[in-house]
Amino acid sequence: MPRISRLRAFVSVFALLPVLSIAVPPGPAAAPVKAAKFPKGIGDAASCRALAGRVIGPDMRIATAEYAENGTMVGNTQIDAPVCRIVGVAYPTADSRIGFEVWMPPMSAWNGKFRTEGSGGSAGAISPGPMLTALKTGYATMSTDNGHITDPDAPNGGAEQRWALGHPEKMIDFAYRALHVSTVAAKQIVQDFYGRKASQSYFVGCSQGGHHALMEATRFPDDFDGIIAGAPAWHWANQMINATWNSRAALLDPSALTEDSVALLHRRVMADCDAIDGVKDGVIEDPRQCHFDPATLTCKVGDAAGECLTPAQVAAANAIYNGAKRSDGTSIFVGYPRGSEAQWAKLWAGAAPGGSAFDFFRYSVFQDKNFDNTKFDYDKDTDRALNAKVVGKQTVADVYNVKPDLSAFNRHGGKLIMYHGWADQQISAFAALDFYRQIVAKEGQARTNNFLKLYMLPGIFHCTGGPGTGNFGAAGPALQDDPQHDIVKALDVWVTEKKAPESFIGTRLNQSKVADRTRPICAFPAQAKYKGSGDINDAANFTCAVPPA
């Protein structure tokens, strides 16, 4: 999340409960504490309140347990349904303090399942919005603060990482441990409250949530039965290098990347490539077929102001399109598709550009708050960063990058749905394709189809937004409450009924929140193809088809 405004979607556990430091011991227990046995819960108010103060495992404990019959407020989020709200803390190391919340509907409203919600950026906060969505659809739900507390006054908001300076264990907590530990604790809490285990466990997340989704699938394959990973930042350390690459031009020369320059570039890209798929609809169905060259916009004598690009602006655009490289041309990270330009200036320019990368090398990797991202050497510093030790023999690459191996998750019987917007300005859509292709190369296409589906979303920005049909029940609301329109319900059907989703219907909402377009979202490599007649805003006039090789 590149700007502080997006942090408002998350709420710090400890900011919400200033008494927590009193209710919970200030550090891990001196020795492991064996969890006591308690009467079997029945999912009611008394079962909720009985959870207060319980030790639920070594260095895991419940701070508060509140049953709100008429709902309650959590930060700015109004819970308008009965809820058992649990606040817990885990201390897996002496330098760890992982906060999490579990919200559970009463037994009469529970669907018998458990769902964990992802976060974004480098945010140290829970995600009450997604938790509320899950709660209102019958799930017991959990969210964690990733083991640290974001400073809301930091200029880069949820992307700040000053918490990592001198705290290597917190880096590991953020990368993968906090979510796993919190999930283990939450599952036990759910079982204690209802008197039985959840029948299925799911994870839903986008951006950092997508990164954590793939960390779970690869490192802890038994945690979840089904996972939705949106815009997964799976190659996190390399992506952070690429983010410094993308933002370097504007840091050195603010005129290299401006709102006006990217708006012009985006208009010309769309004019050149929108109709390649046979439909002029404001989106590029497959940006891999678009090869617009920004050099064609280079200013010449007599060009009107705002209708051409300076050489610096052309170079900045090409750098983003091509991705970070070493001096010998070796790729460090993938570039960005044509059609992703509209939001570039908001992310790759300004006082603190690059999202989480602005702080990543100073505070997390090099532990040097004076490190200047403009001085990053893409030969020497790439190796220095990826091989930097975090704890023991674990390097930055070991800790932050997902190893693309889903074999254990497949053996567990897990099902994984990935999605990524082709117009994503923050995490390149090509990264999702890279991960998918590596899995197919290891497992084969037929075997991969049994546990992994990828959906590429034309015209969708980072997680949500954009001119495409991005409302399908993950980052945006679904048009209808069924597996054909809601990706979470489609995942549930895949897990429980073994019916794999080949496509579903995405919706676009206008400014009045009224649906003005529907379109099939097809499992890769298939794409939505216009049948040749009928309203282009109606999904019924499209079919899913694999394009010619």
Side-chain angles (χ1 to χ4, degrees):
M1 290 188 176
R3 294 289 182 266
I4 190 169
S5 60
R6 296 193 66 189
L7 179 61
R8 308 300 182 196
F10 305 103
V11 180
S12 165
V13 174
F14 300 109
L16 291 172
L17 289 176
V19 299
L20 193 56
S21 58
I22 300 173
V24 182
V33 179
K34 185 177 181 180
K37 291 186 178 181
F38 295 92
K40 185 176 180 179
I42 57 173
D44 61 357
S47 301
C48 180
R49 297 185 184 108
L51 295 172
R54 285 193 190 180
V55 173
I56 49 177
D59 302 321
M60 298 179 190
R61 59 208 65 191
I62 295 172
T64 63
E66 170 199 8
Y67 189 83
E69 181 66 39
N70 299 312
T72 186
M73 284 289 293
V74 179
N76 295 323
T77 299
Q78 174 67 57
I79 304 175
D80 53 358
V83 62
C84 174
R85 180 189 175 198
I86 302 295
V87 176
V89 183
Y91 302 109
T93 76
D95 194 32
S96 298
R97 184 185 177 96
I98 299 168
F100 61 91
E101 291 207 16
V102 184
W103 299 357
M104 297 174 287
M107 180 72 82
S108 60
W110 187 38
N111 64 10
K113 300 165 188 175
F114 168 69
R115 176 174 150 179
T116 291
E117 315 306 323
S119 59
S122 300
I126 68 163
S127 306
M131 290 182 77
L132 179 60
T133 297
L135 181 75
K136 294 179 77 169
T137 51
Y139 285 94
T141 180
M142 185 276 290
S143 178
T144 175
D145 67 3
N146 296 318
H148 64 272
I149 303 301
T150 292
D151 179 359
D153 296 323
N156 48 343
E160 71 90 9
Q161 292 178 53
R162 285 177 284 189
W163 48 266
L165 189 63
H167 299 283
E169 294 289 358
K170 290 187 182 298
M171 293 166 61
I172 293 176
D173 289 338
F174 168 61
Y176 61 83
R177 185 166 54 203
L179 179 58
H180 170 62
V181 168
S182 299
T183 296
V184 171
K187 284 184 174 182
Q188 185 60 56
I189 290 169
V190 169
Q191 181 176 350
D192 289 348
F193 176 62
Y194 293 111
R196 60 182 173 89
K197 295 180 180 180
S199 57
Q200 280 82 33
S201 296
Y202 300 135
F203 179 86
V204 181
C206 189
S207 189
Q208 184 58 247
H211 177 215
H212 285 156
L214 297 185
M215 279 290 191
E216 279 289 315
T218 55
R219 286 180 178 268
F220 310 105
D222 295 335
D223 276 1
F224 296 105
D225 303 302
I227 291 174
I228 294 177
W234 72 274
H235 218 199
W236 177 265
N238 293 64
Q239 181 184 312
M240 293 297 97
I241 296 172
N242 193 65
T244 68
W245 172 277
N246 290 349
S247 56
R248 186 172 185 270
L251 281 172
L252 293 173
D253 176 7
S255 74
L257 200 69
T258 68
E259 292 283 359
D260 289 340
S261 71
V262 299
L264 170 63
L265 177 61
H266 184 64
R267 286 197 305 272
R268 295 299 178 87
V269 167
M270 296 306 298
D272 206 55
C273 299
D274 181 3
I276 287 176
D277 55 11
V279 181
K280 194 170 182 60
D281 55 359
V283 301
I284 303 173
E285 183 68 29
D286 184 356
R288 294 172 299 173
Q289 307 306 313
C290 179
H291 306 290
F292 180 82
D293 183 356
T296 61
L297 294 174
T298 303
C299 292
K300 301 181 293 294
V301 175
D303 282 343
E307 290 302 318
C308 63
L309 299 180
T310 67
Q313 290 168 343
V314 171
N318 278 327
I320 296 173
Y321 285 142
N322 294 332
K325 299 182 185 300
R326 298 175 187 266
S327 60
D328 64 0
T330 303
S331 176
I332 298 170
F333 193 74
V334 295
Y336 285 68
R338 267 67 173 172
S340 65
E341 309 85 9
Q343 303 290 310
W344 281 1
K346 292 180 173 63
L347 180 63
W348 307 124
S356 293
F358 188 74
D359 277 1
F360 184 65
F361 297 100
R362 291 187 293 167
Y363 293 112
S364 292
V365 177
F366 299 141
Q367 297 280 303
D368 175 6
K369 63 182 180 180
N370 295 316
F371 182 80
D372 182 352
N373 284 353
T374 64
K375 302 296 194 300
F376 194 98
D377 184 310
Y378 294 93
D379 291 326
K380 296 177 183 178
D381 286 333
T382 292
D383 291 331
R384 183 164 73 103
L386 296 178
N387 296 318
K389 295 294 191 296
V390 180
V391 173
K393 295 182 178 181
Q394 292 189 84
T395 65
V396 165
D398 293 333
V399 169
Y400 286 98
N401 287 350
V402 175
K403 293 177 174 59
D405 183 354
L406 294 171
S407 55
F409 185 67
N410 183 31
R411 288 194 297 272
H412 169 67
K415 307 299 181 186
L416 171 62
I417 292 177
M418 292 172 56
Y419 69 89
H420 208 133
W422 271 123
D424 192 328
Q425 75 282 6
Q426 187 160 339
I427 301 172
S428 172
F430 290 139
L433 289 180
D434 183 24
F435 183 88
Y436 180 81
R437 286 169 174 155
Q438 290 194 51
I439 299 302
V440 171
K442 290 180 180 180
E443 301 286 349
Q445 189 66 65
R447 187 177 176 88
T448 299
N449 289 343
N450 290 329
F451 65 88
L452 170 61
K453 296 288 184 181
L454 170 65
Y455 300 88
M456 303 303 294
L457 312 177
I460 297 302
F461 299 155
H462 185 56
C463 293
T464 189
T469 52
N471 292 279
F472 50 87
L479 179 65
Q480 297 179 34
D481 185 25
D482 59 53
Q484 287 72 48
H485 296 83
D486 189 327
I487 196 173
V488 179
K489 289 188 177 295
L491 176 68
D492 184 43
V493 168
W494 194 10
V495 169
T496 59
E497 301 179 23
K498 312 304 180 188
K499 295 179 181 177
E502 292 304 323
S503 67
F504 51 95
I505 304 299
T507 306
R508 186 181 69 183
L509 303 179
N510 61 23
Q511 292 184 343
S512 300
K513 303 301 181 183
V514 175
D516 65 1
R517 175 179 290 175
T518 60
R519 187 70 58 86
I521 298 176
C522 310
F524 184 82
Q527 300 171 7
K529 182 176 177 58
Y530 184 50
K531 294 178 180 179
S533 63
D535 187 354
I536 65 169
N537 293 317
D538 187 346
N541 298 317
F542 289 77
T543 186
C544 288
V546 176

